[in-house]
Amino acid sequence: MKKVLVIDDNPTIVELIKYAVNLQGVYQVAVAYDGVQGLEQVYAEHPDCVIIDVKMPRMGGYQLVRCLRGDARTADIPLIILSAMTREEDQMTGLLSGADEYLTKPFKPTALNEAIERVLRLTPQERQNRTDHLVRTQTDCE
C-alpha cells in the first residue's frame, strides 16, 4: 500500500484530506501539522507522495518543497501543494519551488485523487523536464 503524507496546520483540513484520500482505499495516510514536523516525517516514513499546505508555522510549504527537492534522498518524491492561496503568482511560486501539482482549497476529492495518481506516474526525468520548461517560460516572461 502506498503512503501519502499530509502536511497542514489545520486539523479540520487534515481530516478532509484524509477522508478524500481514503476514498480510494489504496493509500495509507500519515499526518504532520507544520513544515518542520513534515520534513522529519518525510525522512522517517519515506512516503510515496506528500500533500503540502503553503502557510504553516515553523516552515512554510514553499520552503519545505525546496528542501525536499534539494536533497538527493527526497528529490524524486511526488509533491502536491494544496493551498488557499489562489493567485497565479502563488501557483507559479509553488511550481517553481518544485511542486508537481498546485491545487487550491476548497478542493474536490476526485481532483485531489487524480492529482495523486498523476504525480505518482511522473518519472524523475519528466519532473526535471517540466521544471526546466517552467523556468524557461518564467524567464521568457520577465
Side-chain angles (χ1 to χ4, degrees), residues 62-80:
Y62 299 145
Q63 183 182 359
L64 176 58
V65 168
R66 288 191 297 272
C67 283
L68 294 171
R69 286 291 180 246
D71 186 328
R73 297 170 293 174
T74 57
D76 293 326
I77 295 175
L79 305 176
I80 298 171

Side-chain angles (χ1 to χ4, degrees), residues 14-141:
V14 167
E15 289 306 312
L16 288 170
I17 296 169
K18 280 174 58 177
Y19 175 78
V21 172
N22 283 328
L23 286 175
Q24 294 294 95
V26 294
Y27 303 114
Q28 178 185 356
V29 181
V31 173
Y33 292 97
D34 66 50
V36 172
Q37 184 185 37
L39 187 62
E40 291 166 353
Q41 279 195 245
V42 167
Y43 290 121
E45 301 198 20
H46 309 288
D48 297 290
C49 178
V50 184
I51 299 169
I52 303 167
D53 185 24
V54 171
K55 293 195 173 224
M56 295 183 291
R58 300 204 301 160
M59 180 188 297
Y62 299 145
Q63 183 182 359
L64 176 58
V65 168
R66 288 191 297 272
C67 283
L68 294 171
R69 286 291 180 246
D71 186 328
R73 297 170 293 174
T74 57
D76 293 326
I77 295 175
L79 305 176
I80 298 171
I81 288 180
L82 181 60
S83 174
M85 297 171 62
T86 59
R87 296 177 320 159
E88 195 171 308
E89 299 86 32
D90 300 322
Q91 293 180 22
M92 187 56 72
T93 300
L95 295 172
L96 287 170
S97 294
D100 296 306
E101 296 262 347
Y102 190 109
L103 302 176
T104 57
K105 299 172 187 172
F107 66 95
K108 290 189 167 104
T110 52
L112 178 59
N113 286 310
E114 287 167 0
I116 293 169
E117 292 297 318
R118 278 194 304 275
V119 299
L120 285 172
R121 285 193 301 267
L122 280 176
T123 66
Q125 187 59 53
E126 289 170 330
R127 180 172 289 111
Q128 186 60 53
N129 290 347
R130 198 179 75 234
T131 301
D132 293 345
H133 174 75
L134 274 170
V135 169
R136 278 194 309 275
T137 304
Q138 188 67 13
T139 303
D140 292 345
C141 290

